[in-house]
Amino acid sequence: MNIVVLVKQVPDSSMDRNLRSDDNTVDRGSASNVINEMDEYAIEEALRIRETHGGEVTVLTMGPAQATESIRKALQLGADKAVHVLDDALAGSCAVTTSRVLAAALGQLNPDLVLCGAESTDGRVQVMPHMLAERLGVAALTGARKLTIDGATLTVERQTEEGYEVVTAVTPAVVSVWDTINEVRLASFKGIMAAKKKPVQTLALADLGVPAGEVGAAGATTEVLSHHRRPPRSVGQRITDDGAGGIKLVEFLATEKFV
Amino acid sequence: MPEVLVVVEATREFGVKKVTLELLTLARQLGSPSAVVLGGPGAVDALSGTLGEYGAEKIYAAEHEEIDGHLVAPKATVLADLVRRVQPAAVLLASSQEGKEIAGRLAVKLDNGLLTDVTELTTEGTATQVVFAGSTIVTSRVTRGLPLATLRPNSVTPAPASAPTTPAVERLDVVLGEADKLVRVVDRVAEQKGSRPELTEASVVVSGGRGVGNADNFKLVEELADLLGGAVGASRAAVDSGFYPHQFQVGQTGKTVSPQLYIALGISGAIQHRAGMQTSKTIVAVNKDPEAPIFELADFGVVGDLHKVVPQTAEEIRKRR
Ligand SMILES: Cc1cc2nc3c(=O)[nH]c(=O)nc-3n(C[C@H](O)[C@H](O)[C@H](O)COP(=O)(O)OP(=O)(O)OC[C@H]3O[C@@H](n4cnc5c(N)ncnc54)[C@H](O)[C@@H]3O)c2cc1C
Ligand SMILES: Nc1ncnc2c1ncn2[C@@H]1O[C@H](COP(=O)(O)O)[C@@H](O)[C@H]1O
């Protein structure tokens, strides 16, 4: 099975993240940049599928030059090769135009299966898998906590608000995964060495036949007008339980009209 | 008044979801709300009363087995046809997984911008969004197409219309292509959650962490939640330790909640947990470690053993009834 894993580089969510004051885009200098956590589970799932069903795993990233760090990490974990869509004109892309560029790249790679994270920690948008499926005219099975493959048939178990659903489709398809789907591996020494020789292809917009003026900030379908930091919460009351902590807690709840 | 489309979310058990009532409340400020019901046969009947109460002037109803039997794509197709025809002033959906997915497909179909996790929207189309785990507030707008936004639950106080309406129901033709029917739903399993409100919609959330100790002790968390009419949440450590099911996880890789009251029991307050709850209105924490970072957020904190504090809290609430 020919698998493409979508990997997005995001600012580390355990650090302080900011938007830039000049153009309102993500400040990639304010926190260190890492692979979007959920995408690590997509990489792992791809490697497991390759182990049982054979095939090839290609990493696809759209992002600035430093995204090569995330690509390298994915290759160290075991992906076979990578495609990096890199073009200055992509800065400031919105979700709609990002999906157009990724769909164009996927059109060239022509995979049986596209795996991606269910959402990214910077945007938390959860829209990319459906946007891509819409553009490619293929199935989208989102939020998988379990994926089984039988020939060309994919079956996904997905959490819903009421319980869970079982959904099925045939390849080609896009499947997005939650962190409940597997346990990710760490890169081995062998993997780290092997990654150095793995091919990374760089594609510019011209290679994809996408006009530069229609993507990036120039073609964005949404615009950030302003941004500010949320004021920190004011420090509240704190008591130490002296045997009546629960009663005092209820007194607080009562003054706030919760009981 | 310009027409504003609101895509309805409902459950069999509880009917119209609270977030849809919030959407209708918001839509009334922007124009004349029309509710869009996309579901299986008979979906509208149970909902029209509530939709009218919240001011829906009109209901567009698309009822078809194919809508229920496949994942989101049919809903997006029907909605796109409707938007093209009626050219509304705005399209509003819930920022739920499904709401965002329908909106994402709609954005591509119409080549229209999309704003997700919106907490406010003005008549001029300026939206407020909370990003980076609640640390940054952004104002933004759609620059291509009409305002298309998904609203984060608990952003608007739902209020019935001053004069309830009897909305006219317009049935929509459901014309689907092969691409809409690629993903078949083969099974839907409802996991029982009793009478508790849904986590993202609840006005009160009581969450337990590793400090709760074991699955059995989560009864304490549930009991307090029930006394306050709230939902139960859990930290990732509690979920990973098998104390509570994953769908109740609050945080960066779980649900984002923004209730009136959030009570954290035996939760340290790691940044990834805060990501899911720090926009809550009032935060209360019980933790035996005075250094726990959760206290930095708490409006009221009790340094103590939750196994003593929580039963006493429950007891005291009962006494006051
Ligand atoms: C990529 C990534 C994503 C993550 N996503 C999430 C997420 O979505 N949600 C999430 O919650 N976490 C998430 N985490 C994990 C997060 O970093 C923390 O590990 C987790 O939140 C800790 O859970 P906890 O507070 O229950 O446990 P701990 O940090 O172990 O804290 C337990 C607390 O209980 C207190 N305690 C113990 N016994 C008692 C007692 N008897 N009475 C009172 N207090 C007591 C202790 O003092 C301690 O403060 C994520 C981590 C990563 C790396
Ligand atoms: N620029 C990008 N490059 C590669 N993959 C992406 C990009 N943006 C989003 N994705 C993928 O789409 C998933 C969902 O992203 P989002 O819709 O932004 O929450 C992510 O987990 C990634 O797998």
Side-chain angles (χ1 to χ4, degrees):
Chain A
M1 189 162 284
N2 182 7
I3 306 172
V4 170
V5 188
L6 299 181
V7 172
K8 181 180 184 182
Q9 192 181 53
V10 295
D12 189 343
S13 61
S14 59
M15 294 170 75
D16 197 31
R17 294 168 291 171
N18 273 309
L19 291 173
R20 287 159 59 125
S21 52
D22 51 353
D23 61 359
N24 296 321
T25 61
V26 175
D27 184 352
R28 293 174 192 272
S30 68
S32 58
N33 297 301
V34 297
I35 292 186
N36 177 42
E37 285 94 357
M38 220 63 93
D39 299 352
E40 296 187 17
Y41 297 87
I43 297 168
E44 177 65 35
E45 197 63 18
L47 299 176
R48 291 183 187 199
I49 294 168
R50 187 186 61 192
E51 280 156 17
T52 21
H53 300 269
E56 196 177 44
V57 176
T58 307
V59 171
L60 172 61
T61 291
M62 168 183 137
Q66 72 252 37
T68 46
E69 295 157 29
S70 296
I71 290 175
R72 192 172 315 121
K73 174 149 187 228
L75 294 174
Q76 290 173 350
L77 287 168
D80 299 296
K81 58 191 177 65
V83 174
H84 185 176
V85 182
L86 173 67
D87 199 307
D88 289 343
L90 284 168
S93 289
C94 64
V96 172
T97 53
T98 299
S99 73
R100 180 169 169 194
V101 175
L102 288 174
L106 287 169
Q108 294 193 354
L109 295 167
N110 202 23
D112 304 304
L113 177 62
V114 178
L115 281 169
C116 67
E119 67 175 20
S120 51
T121 51
D122 56 345
R124 293 210 75 163
V125 210
Q126 296 189 7
V127 292
M128 204 46 69
H130 274 283
M131 284 186 165
L132 293 173
E134 180 70 41
R135 289 188 187 276
L136 298 168
V138 304
L141 304 105
T142 46
R145 66 176 188 192
K146 191 173 163 198
L147 167 64
T148 36
I149 299 179
D150 180 7
T153 304
L154 308 174
T155 303
V156 155
E157 203 177 283
R158 66 199 297 263
Q159 187 88 57
T160 61
E161 266 149 30
E162 273 107 55
Y164 70 93
E165 275 174 357
V166 182
V167 295
T168 171
V170 293
T171 56
V174 181
V175 175
S176 75
V177 306
W178 275 115
D179 54 354
T180 35
I181 197 164
N182 55 41
E183 301 267 349
V184 300
R185 70 191 68 187
L186 296 174
S188 65
F189 179 71
K190 214 171 121 221
I192 292 169
M193 296 315 288
K196 295 187 172 144
K197 293 190 218 75
K198 289 177 178 171
V200 179
Q201 186 189 5
T202 303
L203 294 178
L205 283 169
D207 302 318
L208 296 172
V210 176
E214 294 178 17
V215 295
T221 61
T222 56
E223 169 187 45
V224 174
L225 301 168
S226 68
H227 66 87
H228 63 270
R229 301 280 295 186
R230 202 182 139 82
R233 297 184 73 99
S234 51
V235 181
Q237 242 189 94
R238 196 196 320 173
I239 59 157
T240 301
D241 183 28
D242 54 0
I247 294 167
K248 288 179 185 152
L249 203 167
V250 178
E251 278 161 11
F252 171 80
L253 294 178
T255 48
E256 299 288 317
K257 310 236 172 346
F258 290 115
V259 289
Chain B
M1 287 262 265
E3 185 172 19
V4 175
L5 296 185
V6 168
V7 177
V8 174
E9 287 197 13
T11 62
R12 241 171 275 265
E13 220 180 323
F14 300 107
V16 182
K17 284 176 69 175
K18 186 170 143 206
V19 64
T20 299
L21 306 180
E22 294 180 37
L23 286 165
L24 287 168
T25 307
L26 174 65
R28 293 206 308 269
Q29 294 158 19
L30 304 177
S32 160
S34 292
V36 186
V37 177
L38 307 161
V44 168
D45 290 350
L47 311 176
S48 58
T50 313
L51 297 174
E53 206 184 309
Y54 282 80
E57 302 282 348
K58 197 168 184 182
I59 297 176
Y60 293 106
E63 299 179 328
H64 202 288
E65 276 106 6
E66 303 275 31
I67 292 182
D68 235 10
H70 298 93
L71 277 195
V72 304
K75 295 186 177 176
T77 294
V78 173
L79 186 60
D81 288 343
L82 179 65
V83 172
R84 284 192 197 100
R85 178 159 64 84
V86 306
Q87 295 289 323
V91 180
L92 307 178
L93 300 96
S95 240
S96 57
Q97 179 171 357
E98 181 170 287
K100 291 197 234 186
E101 291 181 348
I102 297 173
R105 284 193 176 256
L106 191 68
V108 168
K109 282 178 194 287
L110 304 174
D111 193 24
N112 195 107
L114 163 63
L115 299 170
T116 54
D117 274 321
V118 164
T119 57
E120 287 169 48
L121 185 66
T122 69
T123 38
E124 290 76 45
T126 304
T128 304
Q129 293 170 289
V130 182
V131 303
F132 292 156
S135 66
T136 300
I137 295 168
V138 160
T139 60
S140 51
R141 66 189 178 102
V142 169
T143 50
R144 197 184 311 159
L146 49 87
L148 167 61
T150 69
L151 183 82
R152 183 156 147 167
N154 277 330
S155 301
V156 173
T157 309
S162 46
T165 57
T166 313
V169 179
E170 182 183 325
R171 307 263 157 202
L172 301 176
D173 290 333
V174 177
V175 187
L176 303 175
E178 283 315 304
D180 298 319
K181 295 184 264 186
L182 295 173
V183 184
R184 212 160 46 80
V185 178
V186 290
D187 200 5
R188 275 206 180 96
V189 183
E191 275 159 356
Q192 107 68 39
K193 60 166 183 193
S195 54
R196 280 184 205 120
E198 210 256 299
L199 186 53
T200 55
E201 301 205 323
S203 323
V204 176
V205 174
V206 184
S207 289
R210 201 199 309 268
V212 172
N214 56 48
D216 203 37
N217 284 345
F218 247 80
K219 286 202 195 89
L220 286 176
V221 183
E222 292 183 331
E223 185 189 17
L224 187 55
D226 290 342
L227 282 167
L228 295 167
V232 175
S235 73
R236 175 147 152 181
V239 170
D240 288 349
S241 312
F243 299 174
Y244 220 64
H246 177 259
Q247 75 252 43
F248 299 101
Q249 183 175 314
V250 171
Q252 184 182 290
T253 43
K255 299 272 163 63
T256 301
V257 301
S258 195
Q260 296 294 313
L261 172 64
Y262 187 87
I263 303 185
L265 305 172
I267 293 177
S268 61
I271 192 159
Q272 296 90 352
H273 186 77
R274 295 157 73 138
M277 48 66 74
Q278 65 182 349
T279 60
S280 304
K281 189 126 188 302
T282 300
I283 297 174
V284 169
V286 180
N287 195 305
K288 68 178 183 193
D289 173 10
E291 304 295 320
I294 191 75
F295 287 124
E296 291 162 20
L297 297 183
D299 298 288
F300 191 83
V302 181
V303 180
D305 183 352
L306 71 92
H307 300 105
K308 298 199 181 99
V309 176
V310 177
Q312 190 180 47
T313 304
E315 184 57 37
E316 180 66 14
I317 294 174
R318 267 193 224 96
K319 252 195 239 163
R320 291 181 179 228
R321 288 262 153 104

